[in-house]
Amino acid sequence: MRSALRSALPCLLVACGADPYADRRPDEQGLKELRHDVRVRFEDGQVRLAVTRQVRNDTDAEQPFITEVPLPEGAIATSLRLGRGDAPLVLAPLSTIERVTAEWERLTSEGEAEPTPIGRLLWSWDGALLLEVFAVPPRESVTVAYDVQAPSRYEAGLMLLEVPASEGLAPRFEGATVEPLDHGFLVRRQHVTQPVADVRWATAPLDLRRVLWRLEVDAAPVLEPAPIAPHVVFVIDASHSEGPAGIAAQLEVLTHVLTHTPDALVEVVVVRRRAKRLFGAFVPAREVPARVAAEAEHLVPGNGSNLDEGARLAAQLLTGVQGPARVLLFTDERLRTSFTNAAALEALQGLPAWAVVHVVERTDRVRGSLREERDDLAPLAPVATAWGGVFFHVEGATPDAAPGEAARALLELVRPTRVDDLKVDAADVEVALQPSLAEGTSLWLHGVAEHPPEFITITGKVWGRPFRRVVGLDDGLSRRLPGLAVGANDFRSLLDDDELRSAAFLAQAVSPVTAYLAAPAHAAPSRVGTSVLMLGAVGTRPCGCGGAGVTLRGTGLRQALIDYRALLREGLAPGQAACAAQLGATASGRVVIETTGDEVVDVEVSAPDEAMKACLTEAAWALRLPQVFDTPGGTNRFVVEL
């Protein structure tokens, strides 16, 4: 029924193919719009537009005035008033489209009464209404007024509303600023949010069976500012598995992070088997590029990925620091099997309580633009979370022409810019949320349910810190909710005709099933009540009449043909001989070497005495494994008897 009425409404105004005035403007018909005022004000969480229009008929015969009224997105019209000349305006009641259509047809039919202006405001399409005035008297004027309620949109601390309007229309406004657009004007107003986000929850019953609900979340324009003069320690993974390209990729991230904290004091810790300071002191951020270049010889790859040792040294360097403290632990996640998160957390215990630790997986994967991705399921994620930070994957490269864009892409490593892992507990109502909400953006959802709860709980994460808020019903939003359901196409489509009618009457809104008719009490069929008058309709829209693959690498065969223990024994031979000469004893023992690819990550030695054990341990750590060890897979352990 609703769709049939909607498609039929424009065709009620003029017979198809029979309107000689279809393309004529009001001024071409002798009509002149003397006044078109718009008063804009923010009220009860929305924007209200009070519109007043006055049209004069400069001809000697009654004329119709028909025009399309464009609406802001999601807006509704909530009143209609009509008056002749200087007479008081008549307030129109809202009624069903069937009753308005029937009464309009009766009053515009031919009769004996003197013509009198009547008007109606009805649904045209999603985004516009149709305003029609019957019989504007000759040499006289009529005044039409109507109210529009529109939901504003939220953006970075501003409430905004784009209003389509005629060129040159200058609205008056209260408590807001207005600027002209090409085809209308933009209303904006400052909006102060709560920390993290404003959260609003509303419900409104349609009948005894179903209830409207709506959730609005507006994230703060800045979740948290960048730290002022922080002490920052970058722990660089300088292992063989990273290689020169991987080390360079980590330093690239360092450069972009410091773009956002130019007042930072910086130290770099280089981790292989052991952790060592690169600069030997905290240096100003502006000096870091030159200092890194000067220390290039200390940034070559080596054996060992002792992330916990890097964490320990970073914590020692930041012990006693006053003010913001940050640690960025870089890793390719190729660690020894004896490594545990508990060991890393124990190593970080000396940090100030307010310090933040991020773990960053950054390798030489440089396809595409530079980007970060949070991974709370990564094995090392708990290390960051314990200190309010995040485990990030950073991939891609910096385009030569866009270093600023790359720096912006990594801003999340400097300060939180989004709320992640958003969830809503709304009892029996399923609220599907996007996983992240960026600062300065909004998330507005709505639906219909049988029993939406009075309270909801929304949770999320700001970096590694939990966000949780229990939210009750917002009275203002609940009052506006029926109007929002009428104005939003995706919301309105959830309702049947009876529910839409209920919502429209609650909101006093024009809809596909409701309309306004303004007529004085003495209005009756008149001598101009013929279809001929209505053929003069202008501004109407024309209406039509009629009807995965798998790649096999062969690594198993290659590994079967290589005697890795023999290669290790051969590699250890020079060190074994040196130990024998140094200690004056046979260099014998059992050496267990753990590798990730072509990198030694752990060594265990059993030998006749501690001196030989120490010497053979150094010999094993000094190995540079050949490329054949760099096979797909994880960690390998080899036992070599000497």
Side-chain angles (χ1 to χ4, degrees):
M1 180 64 176
R2 187 196 316 171
S3 60
L5 281 170
R6 187 183 310 170
S7 60
L9 285 174
C11 296
L12 294 173
L13 303 175
V14 57
C16 293
D19 183 6
Y21 302 101
D23 296 326
R24 293 177 61 183
R25 302 187 307 272
D27 58 343
E28 294 176 333
Q29 226 181 319
L31 297 176
K32 182 176 182 180
E33 190 160 12
L34 303 177
R35 179 184 175 193
H36 190 165
D37 295 338
V38 180
R39 191 178 71 204
V40 180
R41 66 183 185 274
F42 277 83
E43 179 181 291
D44 193 28
Q46 64 185 343
V47 180
R48 185 182 295 274
L49 309 175
V51 183
T52 304
R53 306 176 71 165
Q54 188 176 28
V55 178
R56 186 179 65 204
N57 178 7
D58 290 334
T59 73
D60 294 324
E62 287 80 2
Q63 297 288 345
F65 174 66
I66 303 176
T67 187
E68 190 173 75
V69 178
L71 292 178
E73 183 177 357
I76 54 172
T78 58
S79 71
L80 175 65
R81 300 174 297 283
L82 178 68
R84 179 175 181 174
D86 296 327
L89 301 185
V90 175
L91 179 63
L94 184 73
S95 189
T96 65
I97 189 66
E98 294 87 355
R99 290 181 179 178
V100 168
T101 301
E103 184 66 1
W104 179 268
E105 290 178 349
R106 184 184 74 84
L107 293 176
T108 59
S109 64
E110 190 171 2
E112 302 297 326
E114 283 297 309
T116 185
I118 63 173
R120 64 176 175 176
L121 189 61
L122 66 163
W123 182 266
S124 177
W125 54 283
D126 190 36
L129 303 178
L130 207 60
L131 172 63
E132 183 174 4
V133 178
F134 175 81
V136 180
R139 306 299 173 180
E140 292 189 33
S141 65
V142 296
T143 300
V144 182
Y146 49 89
D147 289 330
V148 173
Q149 295 177 12
S152 56
R153 61 183 173 87
Y154 171 79
E155 183 178 304
L158 293 173
M159 303 305 293
L160 304 171
L161 176 68
E162 292 184 16
V163 181
S166 304
E167 184 178 355
L169 184 65
R172 292 178 293 160
F173 56 91
E174 302 172 8
T177 60
V178 176
E179 66 179 62
L181 300 175
D182 290 342
H183 302 288
F185 52 89
L186 175 67
V187 184
R188 61 157 58 96
R189 185 183 189 185
Q190 287 293 134
H191 176 71
V192 179
T193 64
Q194 298 182 60
V196 182
D198 279 351
V199 184
R200 295 176 293 277
W201 171 252
T203 64
L206 286 173
D207 48 36
L208 296 178
R209 187 172 61 89
R210 296 220 295 172
V211 178
L212 303 170
W213 63 263
R214 184 172 175 90
L215 172 67
E216 296 184 352
V217 185
D218 301 333
V222 176
L223 290 181
E224 188 175 303
I228 298 174
H231 283 71
V232 185
V233 179
F234 294 91
V235 180
I236 300 297
D237 182 354
S239 61
H240 280 306
S241 57
E242 283 280 12
I247 295 171
Q250 295 171 66
L251 295 173
E252 179 186 34
V253 173
L254 180 155
T255 300
H256 294 312
V257 166
L258 292 180
T259 299
H260 300 290
T261 53
D263 56 353
L265 293 173
V266 182
E267 175 62 291
V268 175
V269 170
V270 182
V271 175
R272 302 179 191 87
R273 176 188 175 190
R274 297 185 175 90
K276 295 182 179 179
R277 301 178 68 166
L278 186 64
F279 304 149
F282 281 94
V283 303
R286 65 179 180 276
E287 298 179 11
V288 168
R291 294 293 296 268
V292 167
E295 301 292 341
E297 63 180 302
H298 297 121
L299 287 164
V300 296
N303 282 325
S305 298
N306 286 354
L307 183 66
D308 46 336
E309 291 301 315
R312 191 182 312 280
L313 181 52
Q316 292 171 1
L317 296 176
L318 292 172
T319 298
V321 164
Q322 301 300 314
R326 298 283 190 269
V327 177
L328 273 71
L329 296 171
F330 287 88
T331 177
D332 59 5
E333 299 184 279
R334 305 183 74 176
L335 305 173
R336 68 188 190 278
T337 55
S338 61
F339 173 87
T340 63
N341 286 343
L345 291 172
E346 183 276 330
L348 291 167
Q349 284 183 356
L351 283 173
W354 54 86
V356 176
V357 176
H358 294 313
V359 181
V360 182
E361 188 264 343
R362 172 65 165 156
T363 65
D364 58 352
R365 294 193 295 272
V366 293
R367 291 184 179 179
S369 58
L370 203 62
R371 59 200 178 277
E372 52 81 12
E373 180 181 354
R374 177 178 184 144
D375 185 359
D376 289 344
L377 298 179
L380 293 171
V383 175
T385 302
W387 287 93
V390 177
F391 182 97
F392 291 105
H393 296 286
V394 176
E395 297 185 0
T398 305
D400 293 338
E405 181 180 338
R408 286 190 295 273
L410 299 184
L411 178 58
E412 183 72 11
L413 276 68
V414 178
R415 65 174 184 83
T417 64
R418 61 180 183 253
V419 184
D420 290 315
D421 199 25
L422 273 178
K423 293 183 176 66
V424 169
D425 181 0
D428 296 331
V429 178
E430 183 177 349
V431 182
L433 296 179
Q434 61 193 46
S436 294
L437 182 66
E439 63 183 12
T441 65
S442 62
L443 176 67
W444 293 358
L445 301 171
H446 45 239
V448 186
E450 292 187 0
H451 303 291
E454 185 176 353
F455 291 90
I456 64 165
T457 301
I458 184 168
T459 58
K461 296 176 182 177
V462 180
W463 270 358
R465 302 187 296 270
F467 164 71
R468 182 179 185 272
R469 189 170 295 166
V470 178
V471 183
L473 291 176
D474 184 293
D475 292 338
L477 182 58
S478 294
R479 287 192 299 270
R480 301 195 307 273
L481 189 49
L484 294 171
V486 173
N489 179 55
D490 61 335
F491 204 171
R492 189 173 60 247
S493 65
L494 301 176
L495 311 179
D496 61 29
D497 281 1
D498 290 338
E499 291 173 331
L500 177 56
R501 189 177 298 107
S502 175
F505 276 104
L506 286 169
Q508 287 293 288
V510 175
S511 74
V513 296
T514 52
Y516 279 105
L517 176 66
H522 65 272
S526 67
R527 57 178 172 77
V528 296
T530 66
S531 60
V532 175
L533 177 62
M534 298 319 298
L535 286 178
V538 296
T540 59
R541 294 183 294 116
C543 70
C545 292
V550 177
T551 300
L552 299 178
R553 301 178 183 274
T555 56
L557 177 61
R558 185 177 69 172
Q559 292 181 23
L561 298 176
I562 297 173
D563 188 341
Y564 291 100
R565 289 177 177 79
L567 289 175
L568 289 172
R569 191 175 294 107
E570 180 181 341
L572 286 169
Q576 182 183 11
C579 287
Q582 176 184 337
L583 299 176
T586 302
S588 62
R590 188 171 185 257
V591 181
V592 179
I593 298 176
E594 190 173 305
T595 67
T596 58
D598 61 349
E599 175 192 341
V600 175
V601 294
D602 204 3
V603 173
E604 298 175 18
V605 175
S606 299
D609 55 60
E610 289 300 318
M612 183 61 69
K613 177 180 177 180
C615 189
L616 291 177
T617 297
E618 294 301 319
W621 275 111
L623 283 174
R624 181 64 186 106
L625 301 181
Q627 193 66 29
V628 294
F629 278 84
D630 192 11
T631 57
T635 303
N636 294 301
R637 288 174 64 86
F638 302 97
V639 179
V640 181
E641 299 289 348
L642 299 178

